[in-house]
Amino acid sequence: MADFLVFFAGGEKLIGKITFLSGMYQGKAVYFRNVLNIGRNPSNDLQLPFPSVSRDHSRISISGGESTIKDLKSNNGTFLNGKIVQEKTAIKSGDVIRISSFEMKFELLDEKDVDPKLIKGKTTDFISAPKSTVTGFTDIKNINLNDIEKDIRE
């Protein structure tokens, strides 16, 4: 089975997929419905616990068949296809989002095309994550910042 992060928050028949293109989460994916809040704060749907990521950094929304990204007044900005996001901006499948050093590809999928085994309710979980990446952790929100920075240096 591939490595995945999974978050679902109920709603429509469209699923957003974010695939990490670089860094320690490279190759992992986040699946979500409706809204994905991203930031350093543990209350976010996707927590990226790095000092260069703002507490509440950005939000991706899917509504009525359309998807948008909004920077939440982050210190270092949110980038879409290399350009800074200054207001709520439409995104489409294949677009590349960059937050800090994290590059991620966005895809909009029909729910029927997503493996139902990936649906885990209102949680964020690693599935079959390589031990070298997340040793001892079962939830992205429990990863220790020092361990992440150590992995990046190695």
Side-chain angles (χ1 to χ4, degrees):
M1 180 190 263
D3 296 333
F4 294 98
L5 297 168
V6 183
F7 176 80
F8 276 94
E12 299 182 354
K13 301 272 185 196
L14 292 174
I15 304 297
K17 177 183 179 185
I18 299 291
T19 304
F20 286 85
L21 300 175
S22 61
M24 75 173 291
Y25 304 135
Q26 183 174 0
K28 291 180 173 39
V30 178
Y31 290 85
F32 66 97
R33 288 188 181 117
N34 299 332
V35 175
L36 182 71
N37 290 304
I38 305 168
R40 193 177 72 237
N41 193 330
S43 66
N44 282 293
D45 305 318
L46 176 58
Q47 183 190 20
L48 300 175
F50 286 83
S52 57
V53 176
S54 293
R55 290 183 190 277
D56 299 306
H57 201 102
S58 60
R59 176 179 299 125
I60 301 173
S61 302
I62 301 170
S63 179
E66 296 182 4
S67 48
T68 58
I69 188 165
K70 180 178 181 181
D71 184 80
L72 301 176
K73 299 181 182 177
S74 67
N75 290 331
N76 294 315
T78 300
F79 294 82
L80 180 64
N81 298 322
K83 296 180 182 177
I84 193 156
V85 174
Q86 295 184 337
E87 57 189 36
K88 193 175 189 180
T89 303
I91 57 175
K92 62 186 182 325
S93 286
D95 283 348
V96 175
I97 299 163
R98 183 172 58 83
I99 295 173
S100 181
S101 61
F102 296 97
E103 283 196 335
M104 302 161 271
K105 182 174 79 171
F106 174 78
E107 293 176 80
L108 191 58
L109 307 171
D110 190 305
E111 184 176 36
K112 67 180 174 53
D113 296 328
V114 177
D115 183 348
K117 293 176 186 171
L118 296 176
I119 300 173
K120 291 289 185 183
K122 295 183 179 182
T123 62
T124 302
D125 297 312
F126 279 102
I127 300 174
S128 302
K131 291 186 172 146
S132 62
T133 304
V134 290
T135 303
F137 301 106
T138 58
D139 189 316
I140 190 170
K141 294 181 180 183
N142 291 330
I143 294 176
N144 182 301
L145 180 59
N146 294 327
D147 291 335
I148 291 172
E149 290 176 345
K150 180 182 171 211
D151 284 346
I152 289 171
R153 287 190 299 269
E154 293 176 348

